[in-house]
Amino acid sequence: MDIKSSAVSLLRVKVDVYYAKVGSTEYTVTTDIAPIDNPGTNWLKGSDGYYYYTQGVKNGDIVKLAEEGIYFNGLNDNVDMNKYQGKKIKVVANAELVQAKHGVFAEKWGLSENKDGDIYTKLKKI
């Protein structure tokens, strides 16, 4: 991501994986696939499915979400990966920026110290 914000901002990204039959335009979201194996040391995954970048970002910053790329792996050993054979896969990443000042992230993203501990604490320091 190439950041264009003029003020220091906070960043979060959600990655969703969809699949469909070949020839179909009707995609189904899947929650048993882990698209990001190693997001990197400056990212924390929240219980809401978002990856939170624990550094402030500003104009000109280049941020990588996945150190090693995006993978198509089951979340655990119980996932039958054969159900995806012969299917089309679509990966969608949605990024959001909010200003770092005045704790805007807490209200905008619904984070709290009690519920989101480490993420909240790190973002609050920025």
Side-chain angles (χ1 to χ4, degrees), residues 1 11 13 15 34-46 49-54 63-71:
M1 290 167 271
L11 169 68
V13 178
V15 179
I36 298 177
D37 187 36
N38 179 13
T41 57
N42 291 321
W43 292 92
L44 292 176
K45 187 171 184 183
Y50 280 91
Y51 291 88
Y52 292 86
Y53 192 62
T54 59
V63 179
K64 288 184 179 184
L65 173 58
E67 294 291 325
E68 300 172 15
I70 293 180
Y71 294 87

Side-chain angles (χ1 to χ4, degrees), residues 5 19 28 32 36 48 67 69 84 89 99:
S5 174
Y19 68 98
T28 302
D32 58 0
I36 298 177
D48 56 4
E67 294 291 325
Y84 299 106
I89 304 298
Q99 71 177 17

Side-chain angles (χ1 to χ4, degrees), residues 85-106:
Q85 293 293 326
K87 303 287 193 291
K88 297 188 301 183
I89 304 298
K90 178 169 68 170
V91 178
V92 178
N94 291 299
E96 296 179 9
L97 284 174
V98 295
Q99 71 177 17
K101 291 182 180 180
H102 310 298
V104 171
F105 75 93

Side-chain angles (χ1 to χ4, degrees), residues 30-37 45 72-84:
T30 180
T31 57
D32 58 0
I33 298 299
I36 298 177
D37 187 36
K45 187 171 184 183
F72 189 70
N73 295 323
L75 285 176
N76 57 51
D77 292 336
N78 297 327
V79 176
D80 180 11
M81 298 302 284
N82 288 325
K83 79 179 187 178
Y84 299 106

Side-chain angles (χ1 to χ4, degrees), residues 16-28:
D16 293 310
V17 178
Y18 301 84
Y19 68 98
K21 292 181 181 178
V22 174
S24 175
T25 58
E26 294 184 32
Y27 282 87
T28 302

